[in-house]
Amino acid sequence: MKCKLMLDRYLQMKNWIKITLVFAFLMFNLAGMAQKQRFPKPEFGTGYSQPTPVTPEPRALALEYTDVVVLLIVLSLASWFAIRKRSRKGLLWLSVFTLLYFGFYRNGCICSIGSIQNVSLTLFDPGYAISITTLLFFLLPLIFTLYFGRTFCAGACPLGAMQDLLIIKPLSLPEWLRKTLGVIPYLYLTFAILFAATGTDFIICRYDPFVGIFRMDAEFHMVVLGIAFILMGMFVARPYCRFLCPYGVLLNWMSRFSKYHLSITPAACIQCKLCSDSCPFDAIDYPTDEKQSKNTKWGVNRFLVYALLIPLWIFIGGFAGSKAHTWISKANPTVYLAELLLSKPEVRNDQKNLDVQAFLSSGKSLETLVKEATVIRQKFYSGGWIAGGFIGLVIGMTLLGQVVYRKKNDYQPHKGNCFSCGRCMNFCPVKK
Amino acid sequence: MEPENKLKFSLNIALVSGIFCITVALLLLLNFMQMSKNKPLESKALTSLVKRLSQEPNSDELKQEIRNFDLLARKAYFNSQWQVKTGGYLLLFGAIVFALSLRVFIGLKSKIEEPDVKDENDLTSRIMTQRWVMITGSVMIVLGLVASFASVDHLQKYDVNESLAETKSIDNQDKVEVIKVGEIPNATQPAIADSTKKLVAGNTAKVDTSKVKATLVAATKITFPGSNAIKVNASSFRGPFGNGVFFQKGTPVEWDAASGKNVIWKTSVPKKGFNSPVIWGNKLFLSGADQQSREVYCFDCNSGKVLWKQPVDNITGSPATMPKVTEDTGFAASSLTTDGNKVYAIFANGDIICFDMDGNRVWARNLGLPDNHYGHASSLVMWKDKVYIQYDTNKSRKLIALNASTGETVWETARKGKISWASPILADINGKFQVVLSTDPMVAGYDAESGKELWSVDCLSGEVGPSPASGGGLIFAANEYAKLVAIDPSKNSKVWESDEFLPEVASPVTANGLLFIATSYGVLACYDAKSGVKYWSKEEGPGYYSSPVIADNKLYTFDTSGKMRVYDMAKEAKLLGEGNAAEKVTTTPAFANARMYLRTSNFLYCVGKK
Ligand code: SF4
Ligand code: SF4
């Protein structure tokens, strides 16, 4: 009886959830819109002169180093919780701290994910010098991952924490879908590097879906995106981490070679299968099915074909990338402006087009602009070959990975995909 | 806590936080609706107050009231901004509590179930994966290729154009099309004899010889007009020497296109063009052009009848297609120039042509396709035997002097600086004529004989449209977003500068110690030419593109709506008369025979006292 009551309540609850979600969604949007309303500058007839806008001072160096120290501590704690202490609770509270500190207090910036772009820009533009803190934010998590697995994702990444805390009813996704969507982070990483290296844009930052929530201020479409990710994340656990995060690609690589990695069981797996459904991210590898992996002839043939196809994928990918460079380079503001002025000279009369007006009043000649744009486009051409080739390689390798069987006897986290969140540990009946 | 109680507790928290979220959300929605409905600074009360202020501009009480009101409105605005921000935080907080309690609730509710037998067949799933990864890869490649075909590389096109223009201009450098002629009678002037010899040298075009003979006879008699002859005509854009001052008497101060008041005649011009009339004697010249063709027209000043109309075609080196130009520049923006013997016209594609006063073609050539993102707009000006062209392109900046009789390049001075749309003027500095040009960044004077740069002062910036003006031994130049400067060319230095009112298109004009500026936002300002002291400024009409000019010691202005206002040349603004073309006017009027000639978007008017 009591149970029935409970269930009724629960169903009622479900409706509430829906309504709330819709409202929350609406509200975030409205809040975002309201933020964008700008108030006209007052006009003073008296002697008052408008103060000139100033760029805020960069964060004091001491505080920047504090951030690095905090990161270091959080990383160490996360690794300790995941590997030595085996405490899911510890990781949970650590991620709450991370969310508050790196998310809401530091407004999602400085961020290891975004630091990829600073690193690429430094590598390609000698005029840009990366700050030591940014470099550390880029390197520290990678180094930790190389030793302890993705404990950064478990406890030190505010984006991950946000999503992890909002997982409500995770659904398991079929493997083909996971693997296919899994190509996206590579794409994103490639474009992020390409755009950063050409000085075009920092797309990781621009399209960070959560930063608007951290800052309580964002453009309308970004708020929509943020809410969409949160809503999706309630059912598809950590959607950004799994199907977008470009830093996750690097972490995944590092983690595969990690020296110590979280394990589900502290001792020997007794094949009880209790943990098999415990990972909301489908990151647990099951023991290999002997029957299937025996089917070797088919596997060997495919392996050979796929292995031989890899160079072809690289070449075709590179070719397509180089071909698409004209189009992609239009994302660069200089190229865009130059093309706009060339293809539509009448925009010069458009007082509302601020970019054009700024260019006109800068006194720079069209010739110089076009020259600059051509240089950038050239970079995109070579970048297109590399980026396309890399994506081709990723496709080729993913295919190859599908015909390779590695023998596994136990239930184990997939070292690359596991976020070391520690959920599965609680399901294991073996204690020491 | 008992699990049962825990369950209840988390459910209750979820409910409460859920309701909290909805309430906050509703409040925020309300706030937002209110905010978007009421524009704080557009409230009725405030607008009516401001309106009242325009009626009684000196009421301090009213001003205070407006200030109070304004402050209130701003306070209200920031208050609601604060509410939004706080509401956002509350909502976020509520949402977090809601999510957490819900998590706990769902976590507690779920029991450990017997793990499902893995229903995914590993092999089929792997095959499926391979298929989808392959599809994704192929789709990306196809997208890349499609993108390459769907996008146009304008930059590369630009380069092609550039090099085309470049090579053409080199090819055509001195390839002048010359008309076949017969024996030449003895020349009266050595310079002419020289040039006519060159005329004989080439022989390309097929022209009726009798006509040519007549031309030639006329040509041999040429004596180039002196400055007095030029002054009584309107030989260039903005009158004699391009300086904006017409030496005419009895010009009309009132007219009306709609009622016909003081309109002596009105006629339409076959093809469009933003060039202004130039006049010599009884002949008025205009040009018109479109994508397909270019023409030069000669009108009778007394009747408005077209005396002749000649196509501008068959020019060696002329590009097959017209360059891209903007709507408000067009293909015939440059005004013609005449010396009473011949008339010269230039077009947006670099074609330059010379006719005699009867419409016989004398020479024509192409200067190379100008790379000019608005379209070539600089007008022609001439002195003695040379026609001067400010030939600015994005590629190079040049002052070119052509031999008026043959079209050959006499000299060419490369200039630094950026492309400009201003026109050259001729300034008499210490008894010698100089060609003065305005460009970003410099205003400079060049010897009219040799083309040598005599002085240069860096003072302008941006895309320069207004031409310079000269008077009282000074040169005046201005551009929007830059400065208005007075330059002493003999000292190569600025005398004064100002940046209060700056023109975008209309050129400054000066006479009797006064300097006038007409801005594109409707301000007409008068300065003391020597000191830069502002005497008056007046804001009227939508703005000036047409350059203000002086005729009969009066200042004539046309705003873009076609309204003419005539002011006294005085230190106070005194309106002497008004007129109305009742349509858009961007050209500059010309004065001759005590009449005013004006080209509007559609017509050519002759205005005079009836
Ligand atoms: S995958 Fe990316 S976003 Fe997710 S926790 Fe790791 S670094 Fe953060
Ligand atoms: S720790 Fe366990 S539950 Fe968490 S991601 Fe790794 S495998 Fe999944």
Side-chain angles (χ1 to χ4, degrees):
Chain A
M1 193 54 216
K2 199 160 187 187
C3 240
K4 170 104 179 43
L5 211 91
M6 248 357 202
L7 191 72
D8 280 350
R9 269 217 191 161
Y10 176 48
L11 289 178
Q12 253 178 9
M13 209 27 237
K14 257 193 160 167
N15 286 337
W16 274 115
I17 302 175
K18 270 188 212 153
I19 296 172
T20 319
L21 290 182
V22 170
F23 263 104
F25 180 67
L26 244 160
M27 279 310 91
F28 267 114
N29 294 349
L30 291 181
M33 283 193 299
Q35 300 285 330
K36 285 294 117 192
Q37 235 184 8
R38 290 284 180 257
F39 208 60
K41 247 189 187 177
E43 285 167 26
F44 294 103
T46 52
Y48 181 79
S49 64
Q50 293 280 357
T52 37
V54 285
T55 325
E57 287 288 309
R59 196 168 154 84
L61 206 60
L63 287 175
E64 273 189 38
Y65 284 123
T66 320
D67 290 340
V68 176
V69 173
V70 174
L71 177 73
L72 199 65
I73 295 175
V74 171
L75 275 174
S76 317
L77 274 176
S79 309
W80 183 66
F81 280 134
I83 290 158
R84 289 304 296 272
K85 193 87 207 300
R86 298 178 55 79
S87 160
R88 164 72 194 146
K89 226 183 217 150
L91 286 168
L92 187 75
W93 286 112
L94 200 61
S95 62
V96 171
F97 168 80
T98 293
L99 182 62
L100 293 179
Y101 185 83
F102 288 114
F104 288 99
Y105 170 61
R106 294 293 296 118
N107 281 341
C109 191
I110 188 170
C111 148
S112 300
I113 309 174
S115 67
I116 299 174
Q117 302 162 125
N118 304 71
V119 172
S120 342
L121 189 57
T122 330
L123 291 179
F124 290 94
D125 179 358
Y128 176 84
I130 194 169
S131 77
I132 183 84
T133 32
T134 315
L135 191 63
L136 285 174
F137 261 78
F138 177 72
L139 288 178
L140 280 178
L142 293 177
I143 296 169
F144 266 79
T145 307
L146 203 51
Y147 281 92
F148 309 110
R150 296 171 72 170
T151 50
F152 171 76
C153 297
C157 175
L159 274 67
M162 174 96 149
Q163 297 169 82
D164 202 278
L165 293 172
L166 291 173
I167 298 170
I168 289 181
K169 185 106 186 82
L171 305 171
S172 170
L173 300 182
E175 189 185 352
W176 65 268
L177 186 60
R178 271 185 280 133
K179 282 268 151 76
T180 314
L181 293 179
V183 177
I184 302 175
Y186 288 92
L187 266 179
Y188 199 11
L189 176 70
T190 317
F191 276 99
I193 294 178
L194 181 65
F195 282 6
T198 51
T200 298
D201 198 355
F202 274 17
I203 52 170
I204 300 180
C205 302
R206 186 180 295 280
Y207 300 108
D208 182 337
F210 301 112
V211 90
I213 296 169
F214 294 149
R215 295 180 187 175
M216 301 297 285
D217 180 15
E219 277 167 43
F220 179 70
H221 63 274
M222 287 317 294
V223 179
V224 174
L225 195 71
I227 305 285
F229 264 100
I230 288 184
L231 290 182
M232 195 191 340
M234 293 177 174
F235 309 102
V236 177
R238 287 200 188 219
Y240 182 81
C241 297
R242 289 202 282 168
F243 307 127
L244 269 174
C245 181
Y247 195 54
V249 171
L250 306 183
L251 291 171
N252 184 314
W253 290 343
M254 296 292 140
S255 188
R256 281 166 198 255
F257 302 104
S258 56
K259 198 158 179 199
Y260 316 98
H261 191 278
L262 171 146
S263 63
I264 302 176
T265 172
C269 178
I270 55 171
Q271 310 273 342
C272 70
K273 300 184 185 170
L274 283 174
C275 67
S276 65
D277 281 342
S278 65
C279 180
F281 319 110
D282 304 302
I284 295 180
D285 281 341
Y286 300 161
T288 24
D289 184 343
E290 289 297 320
K291 270 184 281 157
Q292 279 177 7
S293 47
K294 284 267 165 58
N295 190 355
T296 43
K297 189 148 191 315
W298 177 86
V300 169
N301 281 345
R302 281 234 167 173
F303 180 86
L304 280 178
V305 173
Y306 284 157
L308 287 174
L309 276 180
I310 286 179
L312 195 66
W313 276 111
I314 296 178
F315 176 75
I316 298 179
F319 179 70
S322 71
K323 279 278 158 201
H325 85 282
T326 312
W327 182 69
I328 300 170
S329 64
K330 288 178 203 275
N332 184 289
T334 310
V335 176
Y336 179 79
L337 188 66
E339 292 226 309
L340 185 69
L341 285 166
L342 289 180
S343 61
K344 287 202 198 94
E346 62 275 9
V347 289
R348 288 162 175 270
N349 301 327
D350 183 358
Q351 292 300 327
K352 292 208 188 80
N353 191 327
L354 294 183
D355 291 339
V356 171
Q357 292 310 320
F359 164 71
L360 294 181
S361 55
S362 75
K364 193 164 155 187
S365 76
L366 185 67
E367 192 187 334
T368 346
L369 183 77
V370 171
K371 247 188 223 145
E372 284 171 13
T374 315
V375 171
I376 296 174
R377 181 156 278 170
Q378 197 51 41
K379 286 189 191 164
F380 267 95
Y381 177 72
S382 25
W385 268 107
I386 300 173
F390 175 70
I391 292 169
L393 177 70
V394 169
I395 300 277
M397 290 301 283
T398 314
L399 287 176
L400 195 68
Q402 285 307 297
V403 286
V404 174
Y405 287 86
R406 274 190 209 88
K407 198 168 150 55
K408 273 163 285 183
N409 295 323
D410 303 331
Y411 285 85
Q412 281 167 352
H414 180 283
K415 269 184 155 185
N417 295 339
C418 167
F419 297 114
S420 296
C421 75
R423 282 186 181 80
C424 52
M425 300 186 301
N426 288 349
F427 286 77
C428 184
V430 182
K431 303 280 174 224
K432 281 270 144 94
Chain B
M1 225 193 283
E2 292 275 302
E4 196 80 329
N5 288 343
K6 251 193 192 168
L7 207 64
K8 239 195 219 158
F9 185 66
S10 55
L11 185 64
N12 285 336
I13 291 193
L15 267 175
V16 171
S17 54
I19 292 171
F20 175 79
C21 283
I22 293 174
T23 322
V24 176
L26 276 175
L27 286 175
L28 270 175
L29 187 69
L30 214 72
N31 184 309
F32 177 72
M33 280 187 344
Q34 234 172 10
M35 254 168 84
S36 51
K37 236 196 291 161
N38 307 332
K39 295 261 151 50
L41 288 193
E42 284 162 24
S43 79
K44 267 198 197 121
L46 196 61
T47 358
S48 73
L49 278 178
V50 172
K51 217 183 236 165
R52 255 178 60 203
L53 185 71
S54 64
Q55 283 155 10
E56 22 183 322
N58 294 324
S59 156
D60 283 330
E61 216 174 290
L62 205 57
K63 281 182 189 163
Q64 193 51 45
E65 211 175 321
I66 291 179
R67 283 197 190 105
N68 292 344
F69 215 94
D70 186 283
L71 187 67
L72 214 68
R74 283 170 200 275
K75 267 194 183 149
Y77 175 84
F78 286 109
N79 210 4
S80 64
Q81 282 258 301
W82 176 86
Q83 282 168 4
V84 167
K85 190 117 194 156
T86 323
Y89 276 115
L90 285 178
L91 192 63
L92 186 77
F93 172 75
I96 290 174
V97 174
F98 178 72
L100 288 181
S101 48
L102 211 62
R103 252 181 74 126
V104 173
F105 175 74
I106 289 176
L108 285 174
K109 264 200 73 82
S110 60
K111 317 176 235 36
I112 291 187
E113 289 150 24
E114 189 181 332
D116 331 321
V117 193
K118 203 177 154 210
D119 48 359
E120 252 180 69
N121 179 318
D122 190 43
L123 193 65
T124 32
S125 130
R126 275 173 185 247
I127 291 175
M128 187 91 141
T129 310
Q130 287 161 35
R131 187 178 304 152
W132 277 102
V133 170
M134 259 193 261
I135 291 175
T136 316
S138 318
V139 166
M140 282 191 297
I141 287 165
V142 170
L143 276 181
L145 294 175
V146 168
S148 90
F149 290 113
S151 50
V152 194
D153 189 341
H154 293 287
L155 300 182
Q156 206 166 24
K157 268 196 186 162
Y158 175 81
D159 280 349
V160 171
N161 261 345
E162 277 295 318
S163 48
L164 215 81
E166 193 61 10
T167 45
K168 262 192 191 146
S169 74
I170 293 164
D171 283 348
N172 299 329
Q173 221 35 199
D174 281 309
K175 234 189 244 165
V176 179
E177 178 190 332
V178 181
I179 296 153
K180 183 181 176 182
V181 287
E183 275 306 315
I184 317 152
N186 280 340
T188 44
Q189 286 180 12
I192 297 294
D194 197 3
S195 56
T196 33
K197 254 181 226 143
K198 275 182 194 150
L199 262 166
V200 196
N203 53 350
T204 39
K206 347 106 194 111
V207 175
D208 183 353
T209 19
S210 63
K211 258 191 191 172
V212 173
K213 262 185 189 147
T215 318
L216 205 77
V217 173
T220 49
K221 281 187 199 142
I222 287 173
T223 36
F224 288 101
S227 53
N228 286 338
I230 288 180
K231 277 182 180 169
V232 294
N233 286 289
S235 56
S236 313
F237 171 60
R238 297 173 63 232
F241 304 119
N243 204 28
V245 183
F246 296 86
F247 302 88
Q248 295 288 322
K249 286 266 169 292
T251 44
V253 293
E254 254 153 15
W255 72 289
D256 186 50
S259 68
K261 181 182 170 191
N262 279 345
V263 174
I264 296 193
W265 51 259
K266 163 188 175 180
T267 183
S268 59
V269 184
K271 278 186 191 294
K272 269 202 165 258
F274 291 106
N275 56 87
S276 305
V278 302
I279 303 165
W280 196 281
N282 256 334
K283 287 180 174 165
L284 181 152
F285 302 98
L286 289 177
S287 70
D290 52 28
Q291 276 286 357
Q292 286 72 41
S293 59
R294 296 158 290 290
E295 285 170 352
V296 171
Y297 313 108
C298 173
F299 293 86
D300 177 23
C301 281
N302 290 321
S303 64
K305 266 207 216 92
V306 177
L307 293 177
W308 53 264
K309 170 178 142 185
Q310 290 295 357
V312 177
D313 54 6
N314 294 325
I315 297 177
T316 341
S318 180
T321 51
M322 290 301 273
K324 232 182 178 155
V325 296
T326 56
E327 186 81 13
D328 54 8
T329 303
F331 302 107
S334 314
S335 299
L336 295 71
T337 189
T338 174
D339 53 13
N341 300 313
K342 297 190 207 76
V343 58
Y344 310 82
I346 187 167
F347 294 87
N349 61 348
D351 282 355
I352 180 162
I353 193 160
C354 168
F355 294 97
D356 69 12
M357 299 304 267
D358 300 318
N360 301 305
R361 185 158 157 169
V362 182
W363 54 259
R365 59 184 282 200
N366 186 283
L367 297 173
L369 186 71
D371 163 37
N372 187 319
H373 47 272
Y374 291 124
H376 182 78
S378 183
S379 297
L380 300 174
V381 70
M382 68 179 302
W383 172 237
K384 296 284 183 205
D385 57 347
K386 294 186 187 70
V387 177
Y388 301 100
I389 312 162
Q390 180 170 1
Y391 207 59
D392 283 357
T393 69
N394 282 313
K395 199 81 190 170
S396 65
R397 271 63 60 193
K398 285 182 214 163
L399 171 62
I400 304 176
L402 299 187
N403 182 320
S405 309
T406 62
E408 286 164 325
T409 304
V410 183
W411 48 253
E412 211 179 84
T413 304
R415 299 181 305 120
K416 62 181 174 68
K418 310 233 166 73
I419 180 170
S420 142
W421 290 264
S423 299
I425 67 160
L426 280 158
D428 183 349
I429 307 288
N430 304 328
K432 261 198 113 184
F433 273 96
Q434 297 185 4
V435 184
V436 180
L437 308 183
S438 275
T439 324
D440 169 6
M442 80 284 187
V443 178
Y446 304 83
D447 181 32
E449 261 312 304
S450 64
K452 199 176 143 239
E453 184 185 289
L454 299 174
W455 55 270
S456 165
V457 174
D458 285 4
C459 53
L460 296 183
S461 62
E463 300 193 316
V464 178
S467 312
S470 97
L474 298 180
I475 299 291
F476 303 91
N479 192 36
E480 201 169 40
Y481 304 121
K483 268 177 205 148
L484 161 63
V485 285
I487 295 166
D488 185 344
S490 42
K491 293 200 185 108
N492 198 7
S493 66
K494 277 186 245 178
V495 179
W496 57 265
E497 61 176 58
S498 158
D499 57 8
E500 188 177 1
F501 299 114
L502 298 170
E504 183 193 351
V505 182
S507 311
V509 65
T510 179
N512 300 357
L514 298 176
L515 172 76
F516 299 92
I517 293 289
T519 71
S520 58
Y521 49 90
V523 174
L524 181 68
C526 170
Y527 294 85
D528 182 84
K530 281 245 140 51
S531 65
V533 170
K534 191 182 83 190
Y535 288 132
W536 53 269
S537 66
K538 229 170 153 28
E539 183 160 3
E540 240 161 352
Y544 299 98
Y545 273 25
S546 166
S547 296
V549 288
I550 293 164
D552 196 10
N553 211 21
K554 297 184 276 267
L555 180 77
Y556 281 79
T557 66
F558 274 91
D559 70 23
T560 46
S561 74
K563 252 194 147 319
M564 172 184 92
R565 294 184 199 86
V566 185
Y567 291 91
D568 193 13
M569 294 282 292
K571 294 177 183 175
E572 307 83 38
K574 186 172 156 215
L575 195 66
L576 296 177
E578 283 183 304
N580 198 346
E583 59 172 319
K584 192 164 184 180
V585 172
T586 52
T587 63
T588 298
F591 296 82
N593 322 312
R595 287 172 180 168
M596 176 178 77
Y597 298 87
L598 176 76
R599 183 187 204 167
T600 63
S601 311
N602 301 308
F603 299 105
L604 173 65
Y605 285 94
C606 170
V607 179
K609 291 188 190 124
K610 271 193 188 167

